[in-house]
Amino acid sequence: MMETKIPQTKNETFAQLDAMLSEKEKSELANGDAIEYHFSLGLWIRNNWIYGQEEEDVKRLAKAFRTDMLFFEADDLSMKIIEYYQRYLKRKGL
């Protein structure tokens, strides 16, 4: 997977994930258990969009996914992104 600019909205997040994942990967994610992606896609999200990023950028990303920044955990945010993306994929019929 390639390094990308941290997205600021759900739409930007989904567009970046759509561009980097294959149709097979998207289908597997849509039909799988989101927790299975904690150490693969989730780790990529944490390493590229959360850890080492500007605090304001991460706060905007967390806000887009309705995560409370007072008790922010990178694992929680990456899992929330995966869960929202999974729902997005299911709505697209994957």
Side-chain angles (χ1 to χ4, degrees), residues 4-63:
T4 59
K5 179 181 176 249
I6 184 170
Q8 299 299 299
T9 66
K10 279 186 204 171
N11 288 340
E12 286 180 19
T13 302
F14 298 159
Q16 285 193 34
L17 292 172
D18 278 345
M20 64 187 252
L21 297 174
S22 70
E23 291 303 313
K24 180 181 178 197
E25 290 169 322
K26 289 185 261 189
S27 178
E28 288 172 353
L29 175 57
N31 297 300
D33 185 350
I35 195 68
E36 293 176 15
Y37 296 87
H38 180 74
F39 290 111
S40 56
L41 180 58
L43 181 62
W44 186 92
I45 290 168
R46 291 186 297 278
N47 286 339
N48 290 277
W49 291 346
I50 301 172
Y51 300 141
Q53 298 295 331
E54 294 294 325
E55 183 178 348
E56 290 304 313
D57 289 337
V58 177
K59 282 183 179 182
R60 276 192 292 277
L61 179 62
K63 185 177 178 182

